[in-house]
């Protein structure tokens, strides 16, 4: 940590901060420049972060030097994390497609979707039983019945199931039916849910909050890791910007950036990122080329009947054609 | 709702949409322009919103005309909502200051804070027992013990207590101790918690999510109102933008904008919006002048010892001096 | 400046950077922590900034400590800058209203506007002769003829004229007619125009770019100041965010923030910030309360006939009523 | 265009708008819903846009239906625009790499850079003679001498030259030396410069403004096209968001989105978008996979000596290795 003293801070004020540091068992390196004095702080980082230096008038700025996450960092673990979901390998050079409808609507719809997904080459099946909807007047999902239908789809196709835990009180319930527990963007900083999921032994797919920095996202992963669950899959799903042509702005740079900082696998959800069906295939290819470990896309057997997000769902034909392109490219890049 | 057909949509495609509308019992008004056909849709709005028009290739855009919230709207209730918390009136022309430390740290700290708050003219006392912290390594609050200390502070000073419900499982617990239940920015779209709070009979202070539009914020209020709790206080606390000089960007325009759309009282939290103590007093005055119903500010008896957000907390002296200015201005504006 | 070395940087790599610093005549203070080495750099700042430290693999981050602007800073000049435009004083405790139509349309319109402005208490008159329009198909302004009409309005009312220089080639032309030369948001980083304006002896009103940080804005002012023109008036006019309810988001915090960093006067333009007429009066009051030195607002004698931005222009009656409120509040705050 | 009347607008107010439309020669289709009346307007679009409907109290919102650009639209020209720069083809299924240093520093540096670029497979050479720098204290470019050196590099290597026009007064000068005239992000809405460039017969590479929507970007292109220059190359270079890990956020979705709306070729500049050298190669691959027509990247023979942006410049080795990957992928995708 580096403490920048205010211009004109007196000798005594500087000494006050140095004394405070020593008192906490920290080491202080003072550099006096022409306009500012800067103090480098060395010592136990958690300790350092708890001292409210900025409550001192003489302190202008406190600049953290270390990344605030540890278990999620490359420095903690150099090797990329590889996660097994049944027979499916996530990370470690593979490229995995998760597909399925936005929400579970009926047994027929969900089983049909899962079949189409499997046949076209998807390795996991997604579907929402609990739906976070901006409006209380919109369809909120089938709930537990939806979970049962997802399990039916798995029975029929063998595809492991990814589904969202919307409420911390449902962790146990969703755990019983799902193979991968999803944290939605709106819950990325629901810290108590993250802790609960950190105590489970199933993988967690952690979506990036729509206004979360990459650092905040990795801190959210840290909450899960810290409780003992090391199976965290990150999923970029678009951030909020001034651009209104797409629902959100897919932050493609986050893929290589996160891979530089962290060992965790990174997925991309282009369906929610854009809200526009036609943009999904090119962005899947881009995600693959940029180094993502997989994508999660929405597909519906009959988008015109979808109860949710019909305009971003691929049709079965659109999905198959995209899967062909993705599969060919993945093979070419040695990511098959 | 207005449906914009894609350029070159055929007669048949237009008819398909019109038929679909009729089938759902909706009325369609077709306007054919030189380049585009536009269909005005009339009928039950909830019904309209559930039809996935955009799943049709022939549809370019669907433009909602009505605001998606109802109970929160001025059209539903012209009169401004006035909420009583004990003897304190929120809204209806008053200007109310809520003050207190970021987090509850000890009985001494919390009681002392409440005394300073009351003496300087604050009408409610705030303090966090459960703290949402970006890092799992930061102080997470005293929990239930914190709630007890808040109740002690109320006993000592008579100030009603505002405190955050961080976890849906704690609604009942917090209800027992608090007078106003706060929803933090990170939980603004925790829809199940909103529903739970909608079933309580105590006021809810609903912070705006840091990437929520005003419309999404009012939709979150709608979740609470729809369950039957009409005592919702909105609180603007800064949104995320590219500006890094302040922690977030206080959206002051949201005050008059929301007051135009909604009957609910609007507060401002300049402490979290900026993260900088010196900006809090001018922004309180600005909030008052812009028509806010109150502010919520952080103050700590000894910011240098604060376990949380020391750099944005006002000192007791700073707080008193701000309160003098705010009180004088409120009186001048007839908002005393 | 502080250089953060990459985790695992070798002794030799650290020495390489230290040697480089010494070679440039700079002093290096090395602090070795458990995970990172940090080097504090002391010496001529301009020199420091020109060394491409980040081109070294061993360097993780370079953190500037000093603000990059000098002449615009409070450290350079403690006293607030006060600017005289004819008899009108800008800054130094006053609150000044600049008003007028978005664009100059006719002699009648401009003279009538100026009369209304003066009678209601505005001290300067604004009007655009050259209009930056997103669409090439929109009205682009009357050009030189518009400048002549502005001069006519000044003749009739005595109000000094503020108008935008849209093209660097027009600096001389606009100089001949205007009293204050305005730089629009889109030109905030038109560095060559800034330099040209820095060589003039008339005040420059510098709008903040819609995606400019406060620091970038002050750097733009620095370009003007560096050429010798010390009469710079800053004008906040809203930044681009994800919020779509208002055209831009007025960054009210920028007022006290800039006043902390700089001696330059700060204005606010709530008309462009919001694009909504009804939000203009409350935001003028808020700007005043937050410490702004003035506001610039759009007003049109007959908004329904405006060739530009009719929906954000105040009517004469709306303007008068706002001026009464503003004047009363300014007097109350001792800013009359 | 669709006009949404305010809730409670009277018959008379609705009629007033209808009459106004008729008066302007426009057709009005009125749809009366339960809560709102909506008026569909048909007629000459430019005419429609000039009527200030929102100046009427009775009008709540005006919603444009048509895209505001014409010449830039797919509807105007279905075929993708293909541009020839000497022997190099831009667009039409090719993938073109433009490479070179941020700024021209010396003959040796520029000629060496151009040789490396050509040998590795770049088709055009870039280099800045006029540099837009946030700080007036930073290196501002060699100016005309820089242009001469770029011409020398072309002589030596045969690579056509892309360089920025920073000032409208330099259009002629830059025209004499450059093969492609670049408009920087800060000048994207310098409308008078766009017009000037619209009168040239050389291609224009138009960078997206850092806070410009895709629609505003296409409107900027429209300014150039409208003057008669049809050789416009769009270049996405990152937009400003709250994410601070990268300098800007590369909007990869803009590639397929723009290709849907427009016939113009789209490039990507990952160097400026991220400011981080290591992110450039994966983002070039992503841009290619997403359908971009090319990329523009920064490369310097010795980044440690670069006078500008050394930290984002690829080294010659890094550049060659990236070019191998890009070339292989382009061939695989049939874009060689």
């Amino acid at each position: 940590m580096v403490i920048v003293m205010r211009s004109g801070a007196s000798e005594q004020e500087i000494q006050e901060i140095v004394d405070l540091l020593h008192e906490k068992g920290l080491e202080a390196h003072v550099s006096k420049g022409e306009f500012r004095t800067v103090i480098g702080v060395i010592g136990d980082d958690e300790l350092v972060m708890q001292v409210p230096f900025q409550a001192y008038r003489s302190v202008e700025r406190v600049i953290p030097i270390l990344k605030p996450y540890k278990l999620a960092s490359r420095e903690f673990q150099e090797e990329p994390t590889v996660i097994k979901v049944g027979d499916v390998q996530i990370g470690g050079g593979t490229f995995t497609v998760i597909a399925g409808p936005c929400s579970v609507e009926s047994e027929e719809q969900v089983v049909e979707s899962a079949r189409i997904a499997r046949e076209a080459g998807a390795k996991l099946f997604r579907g929402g039983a609990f739906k976070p909807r901006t409006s209380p007047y919109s369809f909120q999902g089938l709930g537990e019945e939806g979970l049962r239908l997802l399990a039916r789809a798995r029975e029929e196709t063998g595809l492991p199931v990814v589904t969202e835990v919307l409420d911390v009180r449902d962790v146990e319930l969703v755990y019983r039916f799902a193979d991968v527990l999803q944290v939605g963007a709106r819950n990325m900083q629901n810290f108590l849910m993250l802790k609960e999921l950190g105590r489970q032994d199933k993988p967690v797919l952690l979506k990036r909050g729509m206004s979360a920095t990459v650092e905040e996202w990795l801190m959210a992963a840290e909450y899960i890791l810290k409780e003992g669950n090391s199976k965290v899959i990150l999923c970029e799903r678009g951030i909020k910007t001034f651009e209104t042509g797409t629902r959100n702005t897919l932050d493609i740079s986050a893929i290589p950036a996160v891979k530089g900082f962290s060992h965790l696998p990174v997925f991309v959800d282009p369906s929610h990122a854009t809200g526009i069906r036609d943009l999904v295939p090119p962005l899947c290819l881009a995600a693959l080329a940029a180094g993502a470990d997989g994508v999660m896309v929405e597909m519906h057997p009959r988008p015109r009947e979808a109860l949710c997000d019909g305009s971003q769902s691929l049709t079965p034909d659109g999905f198959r054609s995209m899967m062909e392109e993705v599969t060919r490219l993945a093979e070419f890049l040695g990511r098959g």
Side-chain angles (χ1 to χ4, degrees), chain A:
Chain A
M1 182 172 285
V2 169
I3 298 174
V4 182
M5 302 299 292
R6 213 172 279 276
S7 156
S10 69
E11 278 306 310
Q12 193 188 325
E13 286 172 320
I14 294 167
Q15 196 54 47
E16 185 182 33
I17 299 298
V18 170
D19 290 349
L20 176 69
L21 289 166
H22 289 163
E23 200 182 288
K24 306 272 176 186
L26 301 163
E27 210 178 306
H29 285 217
V30 179
S31 312
K32 289 185 188 170
E34 193 181 348
F35 300 102
R36 289 281 190 295
T37 292
V38 168
I39 305 175
V41 183
I42 293 171
D44 180 334
D45 221 51
E46 287 183 43
L47 208 63
V48 177
M49 287 196 292
Q50 279 159 27
V51 187
F53 297 106
Q54 290 192 303
Y56 288 77
R57 272 252 151 252
S58 58
V59 170
E60 183 174 290
R61 226 158 31 118
V62 174
I63 305 168
I65 295 301
L66 299 184
K67 299 283 176 206
Y69 45 85
K70 295 170 193 185
L71 309 173
S73 75
R74 278 269 175 210
E75 288 161 26
F76 176 78
Q77 181 188 314
E78 181 59 33
E79 294 293 286
T81 285
V82 175
I83 295 168
K84 296 286 281 189
V85 187
D87 294 339
V88 183
Q89 178 184 324
I90 306 272
T94 56
F95 187 78
T96 306
V97 177
I98 307 172
C102 177
S103 65
V104 176
E105 296 163 8
S106 69
E107 176 162 349
E108 192 205 349
Q109 172 243 21
V110 84
V111 170
E112 188 179 352
S113 298
R115 284 198 180 119
I116 297 165
R118 189 193 52 194
E119 276 156 33
K123 295 290 181 231
L124 291 103
F125 182 60
R126 62 146 289 153
F130 301 98
K131 299 303 305 173
R133 302 302 296 274
T134 307
S135 166
Y137 306 107
S138 300
F139 174 60
Q140 312 266 325
L142 295 183
E144 184 166 345
E145 173 60 13
L147 295 174
R148 282 182 209 291
L149 297 180
L150 286 168
R152 276 287 299 129
R154 177 176 48 209
E155 247 174 72
E156 289 292 321
T157 60
L159 293 188
V161 158
V162 183
T163 198
E164 180 167 354
V165 185
L166 194 58
D167 189 328
V168 65
R169 296 168 299 187
D170 295 332
V171 170
E172 238 179 285
L173 175 69
V174 177
Y175 179 93
R176 269 192 279 138
F177 293 96
D179 302 287
V180 176
L181 304 163
Q182 178 181 325
V183 179
R186 288 170 186 77
N187 271 322
M188 191 204 85
Q189 292 196 322
N190 187 335
F191 300 118
L192 294 152
M193 187 195 276
L194 298 178
K195 282 186 186 175
E196 211 64 74
L197 292 168
R199 292 180 204 118
Q200 312 301 316
D201 59 5
K202 289 188 175 174
V204 176
L205 185 137
L206 177 65
K207 289 210 167 178
R208 179 181 180 182
M210 47 204 125
S211 68
T213 60
V214 163
E215 194 165 296
E216 288 164 340
W217 188 20
L218 288 170
M219 287 309 285
E222 189 84 5
Y223 264 95
I224 301 170
L225 298 169
K226 186 162 175 278
E227 296 296 318
N229 186 348
S230 61
K231 299 178 203 156
V232 176
I233 303 160
L234 300 167
C235 184
E236 156 67 28
R237 47 77 72 210
I239 58 175
K240 278 227 191 163
T241 71
F242 60 81
E243 175 60 65
T244 52
T246 43
R247 191 196 289 171
N248 293 287
T249 298
L250 180 68
D251 182 4
I252 190 102
S253 319
I255 303 169
V258 166
K259 292 212 151 277
F261 299 142
S262 179
H263 50 84
L264 297 171
V266 183
F267 272 56
V268 162
D269 173 348
S271 306
H272 283 91
T274 63
I276 299 171
R277 178 194 299 128
D278 290 352
L279 302 185
V280 172
L283 294 181
C284 280
L285 298 173
L288 167 52
D293 294 291
V295 287
M296 176 150 87
V297 297
E298 293 197 353
M299 177 261 297
H300 193 287
R302 284 166 302 280
R304 295 179 182 192
E305 297 169 13
L307 295 182
C308 163
D309 282 344
S311 72
Q312 75 194 33
S313 291
L314 291 166
T315 59
D317 280 352
F319 178 66
R320 283 179 208 113
S321 131
M322 184 197 85
M323 284 303 286
E324 277 172 38
E325 284 189 84
V326 165
T327 307
R328 281 192 339 123
L329 181 59
E331 271 165 26
F332 173 74
L333 295 171
R335 313 279 304 285

